[in-house]
Amino acid sequence: MSSRKFNVAVAGATGVVGNQMIACLEERNFPVKSLKLLASSRSLGQKLKFRGESIDVEELTERSFKDMDIALFSAGGGTSEKFAPFAAQDGCVVVDNSSAWRMDPEVPLVVPEVNAHAIEQYKNKGIIANPNCSTIQMVVPLYPLHKKYKIKRVVVSTYQSVSGTGKEAIDELDSQIRGILNFKEFQSKVYPHTIAFNCLPHIDVFLDNGYTKEEMKMVYETRKILEDDSIGVTSTTVRVPVFYGHSESINVETEKKISAAEVKSLLEKMPGVQVVDDPKNNLYPLAIEAAGNDQIFVGRLRDDDSIPNGINMWVVADNIRKGASTNAVQIAEVLANEYL
Ligand code: A2P
């Protein structure tokens, strides 16, 4: 590890993911020389803590990145699209959590446990994309399966928490639960329907093919990260009234003979994965236990006897940590250690 320290910027610092990015930089002892916190003009006057110090939030502008080495972006797609090129122009490498750059063939899309080698392609545009939260927690357990058995097809259904939508969605679920339990009026502003005590099969916008953008992100991003366009992926993404932690039911069909017992021992060795699979003792991954952790929890491993080679699994992770901020900081760590 080099002893160099870096000037780091966080764009979207006042948001749920941005806040956690700051915490991750601190927790993981990232070699920060200086930290610049950026948000919209609405946040001017706010201060945020890093390593015990209060730092003023500044307005994100085209000139924010002079003398910065690394910028972690989580301020929405439009903001990344507009400002990431200015950062790159100033020699500041961007790790972007939005979907703006993910499918750009020149921009690497990285989950370090799977394709850290792709980080080198940051040289193309000065931008590295952080994948979609649901994709990140799926590709890590899929990776050793693909290497050993060659995945033909994946059928995934998600149970995604409201924190993935941001601060306002957390407040909306909270106020709706209180409203319903207290027989008070409540509103739905962030989601098109009541999210409290409900499940919405609708994440991001609907596309012409009837799928949502979130569902298609899981298809295209999985292929890009696993570097295999032959993998069939079909997805149904559902918002559920959980605050933190995404859960996924994943069915995997492979070319080669696969067994749940073998998969369990493979996943026990996979970095970033923790197997929790003791159903007789009611032990399986749970969103409330995954929240606050950086691991991806896998359980309910079963053979799928309806096809020649298939297994089912239940995968849970903290969408704000491994699904967003931790993954971004892990990318920055590889970048800092190996390339800058
Ligand atoms: P702000 O708090 O000033 O609005 P979340 O996804 O949790 O809602 O957070 C979104 C983050 O992105 C916030 O930090 C928000 O800042 C920031 N953001 C949104 N739009 C812009 C913009 N146009 N310029 C800079 N930051 C933005």
Side-chain angles (χ1 to χ4, degrees):
M1 201 176 188
S2 92
S3 56
R4 188 178 158 197
K5 294 199 168 175
F6 299 88
N7 295 322
V8 179
V10 175
T14 52
V16 180
V17 172
N19 248 287
Q20 188 57 43
M21 282 170 161
I22 300 167
C24 276
L25 289 168
E26 181 164 339
E27 279 169 23
R28 298 175 70 91
N29 209 13
F30 191 85
V32 175
K33 184 160 46 169
S34 72
L35 186 64
K36 190 181 247 196
L37 302 180
L38 303 164
S40 77
S41 55
R42 295 180 289 271
S43 295
L44 286 176
Q46 270 199 53
K47 286 174 191 289
L48 295 168
K49 280 248 151 91
F50 177 67
R51 292 183 183 158
E53 269 181 55
S54 273
I55 302 178
D56 287 318
V57 175
E58 297 173 44
E59 184 179 356
L60 170 62
T61 71
E62 294 159 9
R63 295 167 306 283
S64 295
F65 303 98
K66 296 245 180 293
D67 303 320
M68 291 286 118
D69 301 305
I70 299 171
L72 306 178
F73 268 67
S74 191
T79 310
S80 291
E81 216 167 318
K82 180 168 171 201
F83 291 100
F86 289 106
Q89 229 170 49
D90 282 338
C92 168
V93 184
V94 172
V95 181
D96 180 38
N97 188 51
S98 81
S99 61
W101 302 94
R102 289 180 190 152
M103 295 314 299
D104 183 322
E106 289 192 277
V107 172
L109 181 66
V110 178
V111 180
E113 291 88 342
V114 177
N115 64 337
H117 62 91
I119 290 174
E120 190 174 12
Q121 293 167 42
Y122 84 89
K123 291 168 186 162
N124 297 340
K125 281 198 171 164
I127 301 171
I128 301 165
N130 204 40
N132 166 268
C133 45
S134 299
T135 309
I136 291 177
Q137 72 179 70
M138 181 167 80
V139 293
V140 175
L142 287 186
Y143 175 62
L145 273 59
H146 190 48
K147 269 203 305 194
K148 180 145 189 203
Y149 309 105
K150 188 158 180 15
I151 295 173
K152 259 165 74 175
R153 180 168 185 249
V154 176
V155 182
V156 56
S157 299
T158 69
Y159 306 68
Q160 298 182 221
S161 66
V162 296
S163 54
T165 316
K167 239 179 353 208
E168 289 176 355
I170 295 173
D171 294 342
E172 181 154 306
L173 174 58
D174 182 79
S175 71
Q176 288 184 357
I177 292 171
R178 289 170 199 281
I180 291 171
L181 294 179
N182 291 293
F183 306 101
K184 289 207 178 111
E185 295 263 313
F186 62 89
Q187 289 185 313
S188 298
K189 282 197 211 143
V190 176
Y191 298 116
H193 303 280
T194 305
I195 182 65
F197 308 107
N198 206 1
C199 298
L200 310 179
H202 176 182
I203 299 186
D204 210 330
V205 294
F206 280 101
L207 304 172
D208 289 342
N209 66 357
Y211 285 81
T212 62
K213 200 168 164 196
E214 183 84 351
E215 288 162 349
M216 296 315 294
K217 284 176 200 165
M218 293 190 79
V219 176
Y220 299 131
E221 293 182 21
T222 298
R223 291 179 183 152
K224 182 167 175 176
I225 298 160
L226 294 177
E227 297 169 349
D228 189 342
D229 284 341
S230 75
I231 300 173
V233 181
T234 188
S235 164
T236 303
T237 58
V238 182
R239 190 72 67 192
V240 296
V242 167
F243 285 102
Y244 293 97
H246 289 357
S247 305
E248 298 179 355
S249 160
I250 305 175
N251 176 265
V252 187
E253 183 177 1
T254 56
E255 298 275 356
K256 297 186 191 146
K257 190 90 207 119
I258 188 171
S259 80
E262 247 183 53
V263 167
K264 187 171 179 179
S265 65
L266 258 188
L267 291 176
E268 276 166 349
K269 291 182 219 111
M270 179 65 194
V273 169
Q274 191 171 325
V275 175
V276 182
D277 197 16
D278 183 7
K280 292 209 174 83
N281 288 309
N282 300 339
L283 288 175
Y284 31 73
L286 294 172
I288 52 171
E289 286 172 5
N293 283 286
D294 286 325
Q295 300 287 94
I296 295 165
F297 298 88
V298 183
R300 300 294 324 280
L301 283 158
R302 287 150 290 153
D303 292 315
D304 175 0
D305 295 329
S306 70
I307 46 176
N309 303 313
I311 58 119
N312 284 301
M313 57 186 172
W314 177 249
V315 176
V316 182
D318 184 323
N319 52 299
I320 301 300
R321 281 179 167 263
K322 182 56 187 168
S325 48
T326 304
N327 200 71
V329 174
Q330 284 176 312
I331 292 172
E333 285 169 353
V334 179
L335 185 71
N337 280 334
E338 296 182 21
Y339 298 101
L340 298 185

